[in-house]
Amino acid sequence: MTRSDPPPPPPPPVAFYAPMKAPDHPVPSGDRQIARGLMAALGAAGFAPRVACRFRAWEGRGDPVRQARLRRAGLWLADRLADSLARLPPERRPRLWFTYHLYHKAPDWLGPRVSARLGIPYAVAEASRALKQKHGPWADGFAEADAALTRADRVFAMTARGACGVAPVAGDRLVRLAPFLSDPGLIDPATVDRPAARAALAAAHGLDPGRRWLVTVAMMRPGDKLASFRLLAEALRRVGEGPPWTLLIAGDGAARAEVEAAFAGLPVVRLGALDPPALRDLYGAGDLFVWPGLNEGYGMVYIEAQAHGLPVVACDSGGVADVVRDGDGGRLVPDATPDGVAGAVVAVLADDALRVDQGVRARRKAAAEHGLERAADTLGAALGPLLPA
């Protein structure tokens, strides 16, 4: 840029909202991680995302009184927020509203109303639509989520299942956005020194580096997570002859006691909740990532593991097939059974050449299909034309 060149225009502000859980919510979760990732991808695409509101619209009990109260509060907030944003200087006023993860239990009472008041485009990512909820305790939330999808100028779906669900409402405004890795603590796996990471883990936890190290990373909570842990424990009990192994589990939560009971008697080391740098070293030190992933949206941990060259064994459940391909970075078990998972683990552990090859394929696949740059390109190409020149 020469002295006569005008300065580049500032990135267009984007109002970001997550009715399920705000990106800066204090409780870690996959939902929070994806919200943060979307903000990072929007920034990489040339936008300036800012959290517009932290109002949580989620109601999980099917209580009509509470739902009505949340609706009134949401609409009231929408009007106040629209008034406040309209008073901002033009350069700070949002030029687009972006809502992440709306569905019948967490409808978006803010985005459609605020964007209409401001006359700006409205975009939605990771909406889910279950027709069985059209009539029932969350019928009003389902109708509002459908109304938001109908109003949206762009609807981003991150899984095939999600795209299929919203397609009847979104039509040609639907855009596929591949799941992507965005955590800065995990985004550069090339920095992991495998021998050093393995030696440090062995010293800290009394591990035998001569054994195969299986790795699992998951929250310990009731429901599908606990069911996945129990399925994994039963599968590992059926792993017979072969190289000796130890399972390293990273994660914690309310179901910790139940998880510990499920793995009683197995060679397991529980590492607790780990921060991104420690997770990066764990992935880099491991030999195989194993997690059934029952009803996972898709599972960010699979992308993280593959990015670090760690082959994956998972079940073809929920949206896992959107990030794990059988024979291309791991094994995707078609039947979520202990025998199916055990057979896949045995096949990979028993063949060192196969495991190394699948690790190389895993790293290549994660870099090519699930990088932040690719997500930014998708968002930029879809949202850029919506903004006036």
Side-chain angles (χ1 to χ4, degrees):
M1 186 175 71
T2 66
R3 291 186 178 182
S4 59
D5 291 332
V14 169
F16 188 96
Y17 173 57
M20 176 74 177
K21 180 182 283 189
D24 53 1
H25 193 280
V27 179
S29 68
D31 198 71
R32 188 186 74 170
Q33 185 178 2
I34 296 168
R36 291 179 174 183
L38 284 168
M39 292 190 72
L42 286 166
F47 300 97
R50 299 288 183 272
V51 176
C53 188
R54 294 171 178 82
F55 172 66
R56 195 178 191 209
W58 183 79
E59 197 289 309
R61 295 175 296 183
D63 181 345
V65 175
R66 177 165 169 75
Q67 289 176 45
R69 187 182 305 126
L70 287 169
R71 178 184 184 277
R72 289 194 299 272
L75 295 178
W76 181 88
L77 277 171
D79 287 337
R80 304 290 81 73
L81 185 59
D83 290 341
S84 175
L85 294 175
R87 289 194 294 268
L88 291 175
E91 66 275 10
R92 293 178 54 203
R93 197 176 305 151
R95 297 181 62 191
L96 181 140
W97 182 285
F98 193 102
T99 291
Y100 161 67
H101 198 186
L102 66 91
Y103 72 123
H104 60 277
K105 291 184 181 180
D108 183 7
W109 300 110
L110 306 183
R113 201 172 181 98
V114 174
S115 58
R117 286 274 308 274
L118 298 181
I120 60 176
Y122 173 59
V124 168
E126 273 296 82
S128 61
R129 187 172 183 266
L131 281 175
K132 64 182 180 181
Q133 303 297 342
K134 187 173 183 178
H135 306 287
W138 290 282
D140 289 346
F142 179 92
E144 184 62 25
D146 259 20
L149 288 169
T150 302
R151 159 75 176 80
D153 298 283
R154 291 291 185 272
V155 178
F156 295 94
M158 300 178 77
T159 65
R161 184 174 65 168
C164 183
V166 300
V169 182
D172 61 4
R173 294 165 289 120
L174 178 62
V175 178
R176 285 298 304 272
L177 174 66
F180 59 96
L181 183 64
S182 63
D183 193 311
L186 295 166
I187 208 165
D188 187 12
T191 61
V192 177
D193 182 334
R194 176 176 168 81
R198 200 167 173 89
L201 271 172
H205 301 283
L207 300 171
D208 180 356
R211 297 172 71 93
R212 302 289 186 267
W213 291 357
L214 311 184
V215 174
T216 290
V217 178
M219 298 283 288
M220 297 179 180
R221 61 183 182 222
D224 291 329
K225 298 293 189 189
L226 180 55
S228 287
F229 273 116
R230 285 173 169 160
L231 172 58
L232 177 58
E234 183 58 32
L236 294 180
R237 293 185 191 282
R238 303 185 187 196
V239 173
E241 296 295 325
W245 54 269
T246 299
L247 175 67
L248 310 180
I249 301 178
D252 208 342
R256 179 177 57 192
E258 291 91 336
V259 171
E260 291 174 345
F263 287 94
L266 290 170
V268 172
V269 174
R270 194 175 63 80
L271 305 176
L274 300 181
D275 60 18
L279 272 179
R280 181 186 59 198
D281 289 343
L282 175 61
Y283 288 131
D287 294 295
L288 179 65
F289 186 86
V290 290
W291 179 241
L294 300 178
N295 296 317
E296 289 276 8
Y298 55 82
M300 186 67 73
V301 290
Y302 297 124
I303 305 176
E304 295 171 355
Q306 291 177 89
H308 288 77
L310 198 56
V312 166
V313 169
C315 293
D316 189 358
S317 179
V320 174
D322 285 275
V323 295
V324 179
R325 275 200 301 270
D326 192 48
D328 190 13
R331 293 291 306 276
L332 189 64
V333 181
D335 55 333
T337 64
D339 284 338
V341 174
V345 170
V346 169
V348 180
L349 282 187
D351 190 333
D352 288 344
L354 172 66
R355 192 176 68 256
V356 171
D357 174 70
Q358 290 301 307
V360 171
R361 290 174 179 269
R363 189 189 300 275
R364 184 186 304 138
K365 176 179 177 296
E369 301 180 17
H370 304 294
L372 179 66
E373 296 80 8
R374 177 170 174 170
D377 289 345
T378 300
L379 290 169
L383 298 176
L386 300 179
L387 303 183

